[in-house]
Amino acid sequence: MTTATATAAASAKTTGTTPAPDPDRLRRRRRLTQWGFVAPAVVFMLLFFGFPLVRNVVMSFQHYTPRTFFTGEAPFNGTDNWSAVLQDALFGKALWHTLVFTAGSLLGQFCIGLALAVFFSRRFPLGGVLRSLILLPWLVPMVVSGIVWRRILDQDTGVLNTFLDTLGIGGSTPWLTSPDMALLSVILVNIWIGVPFNMVILYGGLQEIPKELHEAASLDGASAWRTFRSVTLPTLKPVITVVLVLGFMSTVKILDLILALTDGGPADATQTLGTLTYQSSFVELDFGAGAVVGNVLILISAVFAVFYLRANRTDGK
């Protein structure tokens, strides 16, 4: 007990009043309470994010085979896995496809999603019903969407080629079987899936913009495009940042859609880092190589997350 506390207790005993609580004890109790609230989140992060991440990094430096599951033996092989993966021509090809697939998907999803959000921000009959119907692609499981689109884009029996043939503009396009067309087709399908998410988030952001800003721009004689460029877009910037970051995180690692559509083919034309990880780990059973590609994906996502945090910090100043 400190001198101040003892003095306060003696004084309270003399005067018959309740002694004042110890400030140090209150501070310790408050700190324990704070840690009590934070501890479950920390434990959850360590167990379900930290441990798999560290395990994946360690595995990338091990000779990890199916035999390891029975013997528990996974000898370290230095940087052999990294050298083998980075020197493989397929890795460079998959990395390029991942960048093209991610950039093309984000660009298409964002532009169409923003256009639809602006369109639906105006009130008109059945606007709410149409907005709800556009959400359907987002609600369908990605594997189901992939299988449906695989049938639609079939070169011989697909609905799309049949429709184009009816219009007389060519009905034998090899959407998924040509190395020149396959990646573009996968990007278009992913754009179709991601547009509803972009539209919903951007629509919500547009509703939060004060109408007074648009009225003031109108009084100043600004055109619709000038108002959109100088008022709407700058005000919507935080929402746009969130949409692009979340879109990047979900797009860069897409696996199920590509497997359902092309399985990484034809001739590795749609092979991305996500499919390469799956192929290395669960087809070739080379878990070390799969861990290396997975770590590269994590590194790309981490770099993008750092840029996002820095941009948010700059906006907050």
Side-chain angles (χ1 to χ4, degrees), residues 69-92:
F69 292 107
F70 302 99
T71 64
E73 297 176 356
F76 280 86
N77 58 3
T79 58
D80 289 352
N81 292 330
W82 288 84
S83 300
V85 170
L86 297 179
Q87 291 176 3
D88 188 356
L90 184 57
F91 174 78

Side-chain angles (χ1 to χ4, degrees), residues 3 13 15 22 25 37 116 157 160 168 190 213 216 224 256 293:
T3 306
K13 190 174 181 180
T15 57
D22 185 357
R25 181 178 297 176
F37 280 105
L116 288 174
T157 60
L160 183 58
N190 193 45
L213 295 177
D256 40 6
V293 182

Side-chain angles (χ1 to χ4, degrees), residues 2-295:
T2 62
T3 306
T5 305
T7 305
S11 175
K13 190 174 181 180
T14 304
T15 57
T17 57
T18 304
D22 185 357
D24 293 335
R25 181 178 297 176
L26 284 178
R27 196 177 300 112
R28 285 196 298 270
R29 186 179 300 173
R30 192 181 304 117
R31 188 168 298 173
L32 285 175
T33 304
Q34 293 171 346
W35 275 109
F37 280 105
V38 173
V42 173
V43 172
F44 179 83
M45 294 287 290
L46 290 176
L47 282 178
F48 295 100
F49 292 93
F51 175 73
L53 185 63
V54 173
R55 191 73 190 87
N56 198 57
V57 172
V58 173
M59 190 183 293
S60 68
F61 294 98
Q62 290 178 315
H63 183 61
Y64 209 100
T65 64
R67 188 180 177 184
T68 305
F69 292 107
F70 302 99
T71 64
E73 297 176 356
F76 280 86
N77 58 3
T79 58
D80 289 352
N81 292 330
W82 288 84
S83 300
V85 170
L86 297 179
Q87 291 176 3
D88 188 356
L90 184 57
F91 174 78
K93 200 173 181 179
L95 179 60
W96 172 248
H97 290 162
T98 302
L99 296 177
V100 173
F101 174 75
T102 304
S105 297
L106 287 182
L107 183 63
Q109 291 172 357
F110 175 75
C111 291
I112 299 175
L114 180 59
L116 288 174
V118 173
F119 176 74
F120 282 111
S121 63
R122 299 180 179 181
R123 296 185 180 277
F124 57 88
L126 298 178
V129 176
L130 292 175
R131 199 168 62 246
S132 302
L133 290 177
I134 290 180
L135 292 178
L136 287 178
W138 191 31
L139 302 177
V140 178
M142 197 165 286
V143 174
V144 176
S145 298
I147 294 174
V148 170
W149 273 102
R150 186 167 185 164
R151 292 181 176 275
I152 293 175
L153 298 176
D154 188 89
Q155 182 178 357
D156 300 322
T157 60
V159 175
L160 183 58
N161 274 348
T162 304
F163 177 71
L164 293 177
D165 189 43
T166 304
L167 297 178
I169 53 177
S172 59
T173 306
W175 297 102
L176 299 175
T177 55
S178 167
D180 298 327
M181 291 293 300
L183 185 59
L184 176 62
S185 301
V186 174
I187 291 174
L188 292 177
V189 174
N190 193 45
I191 289 174
W192 177 81
I193 293 173
V195 162
F197 170 76
N198 282 255
M199 187 202 71
V200 168
I201 303 298
L202 294 171
Y203 176 82
L206 287 174
Q207 301 307 306
E208 297 298 323
I209 298 177
K211 295 181 180 178
E212 291 78 7
L213 295 177
H214 289 101
E215 292 174 356
S218 178
L219 290 175
D220 289 340
S223 63
W225 170 245
R226 180 62 186 273
T227 302
F228 178 77
R229 187 166 57 88
S230 302
V231 176
T232 304
L233 279 182
T235 314
L236 203 60
K237 187 178 177 182
V239 181
I240 292 175
T241 304
V242 171
V243 167
L244 292 179
V245 169
L246 295 180
F248 178 87
M249 296 296 184
S250 62
T251 303
V252 74
K253 60 181 177 56
I254 277 185
L255 169 67
D256 40 6
L257 176 65
I258 300 176
L259 289 182
L261 282 172
T262 62
D263 199 18
D268 296 323
T270 57
Q271 196 77 263
T272 63
L273 292 181
T275 58
L276 186 59
T277 304
Y278 172 80
Q279 180 179 323
S280 300
S281 299
F282 301 107
V283 177
E284 301 173 359
L285 300 180
D286 189 351
F287 298 102
V292 171
V293 182
N295 286 328

